[in-house]
Amino acid sequence: MAAPITTTTQVAGPVNVVFQETLLRNAKAKCPYFVGSVPAEIREHSGSFTAKWRRIENLTPVTAALAELTGNLAIPVRDSVQPSVTDITKAVSKYGNYMLLNEEVDVVNFTGQSDKLVEILGINAGMSLNRLQRDEMEDNATAILANGVAAVTDIVTKLARNDIKKAVNTLNRNTASTFLPMTEGSDRVGTSPMRDSYWGICHSDVEEDIRDMTGFIAVESYASQTAVSPGEFGAVGGVRWLSTEESSIDLAAGGAIGATGLRSVAGVKVDVYNSVVFGKDAVGSLGFGKEHIKEIYTAGDKLPSVLLINKARGSAGAADPLNELSTMGWKSWHGAKILNGDWIRNIKSGATDL
């Protein structure tokens, strides 16, 4: 298939107009799905396309007292135990995108145009990897259906406090570890203590329903010693919540819209939103040559696992005999994996139509 060339038809020169060289800024979605993920590494020349994580299970608690040693000595004098070791693997894949530009694009445009195109590629890379990580978490985590209905097609309620309580209780019963320690209130007026918490990621539409829940603590009411992450809007039910428009929506996948007041793309069936709640070490991600960043980033930020590649005009040799074509692109290896399914849940619900 022939590669489409970006020409002056798409990137016209600023001719006969007043042109501001500070190009218009682009929307940059918050990309939080790498937060708290356990990084694996695939290095060049390692001879493998597989990432591996190793989990060593806890030992059974000892409740029987040790008996006194008597009689003839036998080595070893006590029975030993053997830990259970589980290796979790994920085949990694290569992803990338690029632009093919003709020389007229450079001739008629100022130098800043190239910088802007590189920024666009960075945004594309960040959103692409974030969605791959998101899909692993949403598609492969055990689902909790809002209001305890039997099937996704029966969902006709928004996210409720009880749905969050069910997810948190499940993680607690499975001995999941929280990410964020308890913090006390301070002498600042209007601050609230925070219980130790899991992370939750939801859509911006669901954020408004969470804000209306009993016991919700807005991020602006956190005590001053509490560190805040980009996109974090508050906490409720033992979960500190991040919102992003990148959280997926299963359009018209729920029950009949009726008088529910929920969002619906066509006004017939409820749109179903995915909100993930997870503990420490529940999810793994891959970096190439180095670890992924662990904090939340915005699409377009420089990611250590992404290679930005720029091929100048003439670098293609006989494929570009008149030095007319250049390319800009990004490339990355990625693999996402749920490492412990007992420590993550995906709550499926509707969202209030505002």
Side-chain angles (χ1 to χ4, degrees), residues 235-279:
V236 67
V239 180
R240 282 173 57 177
W241 287 95
L242 308 162
S243 73
T244 172
E245 62 274 30
E246 283 294 292
S247 179
S248 68
I249 309 170
D250 301 323
L251 298 175
I257 186 69
T260 61
L262 302 180
R263 290 181 182 265
S264 173
V265 66
V268 179
K269 298 288 187 179
V270 171
D271 295 338
V272 175
Y273 290 76
N274 295 274
S275 304
V276 291
V277 176
F278 56 100

Side-chain angles (χ1 to χ4, degrees), residues 6 43 68 81 260 272 334:
T6 299
R43 293 189 176 274
E68 178 185 0
V81 296
T260 61
V272 175
H334 179 68

Side-chain angles (χ1 to χ4, degrees), residues 27-242:
K28 296 182 179 180
K30 292 183 179 66
C31 300
Y33 286 92
F34 285 93
V35 63
S37 64
V38 181
E41 293 187 35
I42 291 291
R43 293 189 176 274
E44 291 183 282
H45 316 302
S46 63
S48 174
F49 288 106
T50 302
K52 179 182 286 189
W53 298 263
R54 174 163 291 175
R55 185 171 73 234
I56 301 178
E57 308 292 350
N58 290 331
L59 300 176
T60 301
V62 176
T63 57
L66 295 174
E68 178 185 0
L69 296 177
T70 58
N72 296 324
L73 181 65
I75 303 296
V77 295
R78 305 287 188 189
D79 292 334
S80 63
V81 296
Q82 188 176 45
S84 174
V85 179
T86 304
D87 285 340
I88 302 170
T89 60
K90 175 74 174 187
V92 302
S93 300
K94 182 168 57 178
Y95 301 89
N97 209 355
Y98 80 101
M99 302 175 187
L100 181 62
L101 299 90
N102 67 12
E103 65 177 325
E104 283 79 4
V105 171
D106 279 340
V107 169
V108 301
N109 281 287
F110 55 92
T111 305
Q113 190 74 56
S114 296
D115 293 338
K116 190 63 177 179
L117 293 176
V118 169
E119 180 187 352
I120 294 299
L121 285 167
I123 293 172
N124 181 246
M127 293 182 70
S128 299
L129 296 179
N130 183 69
R131 288 188 181 187
L132 291 167
Q133 193 75 18
R134 176 201 70 186
D135 291 346
E136 170 69 15
M137 295 170 70
E138 291 182 351
D139 296 346
N140 295 311
T142 300
I144 292 176
L145 306 185
N147 200 34
V149 296
V152 171
T153 52
D154 297 328
I155 292 176
V156 290
T157 55
K158 64 183 180 181
L159 183 68
R161 178 73 182 267
N162 280 344
D163 301 321
I164 298 175
K165 287 169 62 175
K166 183 174 182 179
V168 169
N169 177 251
T170 299
L171 268 60
N172 288 341
R173 286 173 59 87
N174 292 331
T175 325
S177 297
T178 56
F179 285 101
L180 306 155
M182 183 179 74
T183 60
E184 299 176 355
S186 71
D187 56 5
R188 194 181 72 184
V189 175
T191 60
S192 302
M194 299 283 298
R195 61 186 279 191
D196 50 350
S197 303
Y198 299 111
W199 275 126
I201 306 175
C202 69
H203 194 277
S204 305
D205 294 342
V206 176
E207 172 185 344
E208 303 308 321
D209 291 327
I210 293 176
R211 286 182 179 275
D212 288 338
M213 292 180 183
T214 301
F216 174 77
I217 302 173
V219 67
E220 54 266 29
S221 298
Y222 290 4
S224 58
Q225 74 271 21
T226 306
V228 176
S229 295
E232 185 175 355
F233 64 90
V236 67
V239 180
R240 282 173 57 177
W241 287 95
L242 308 162

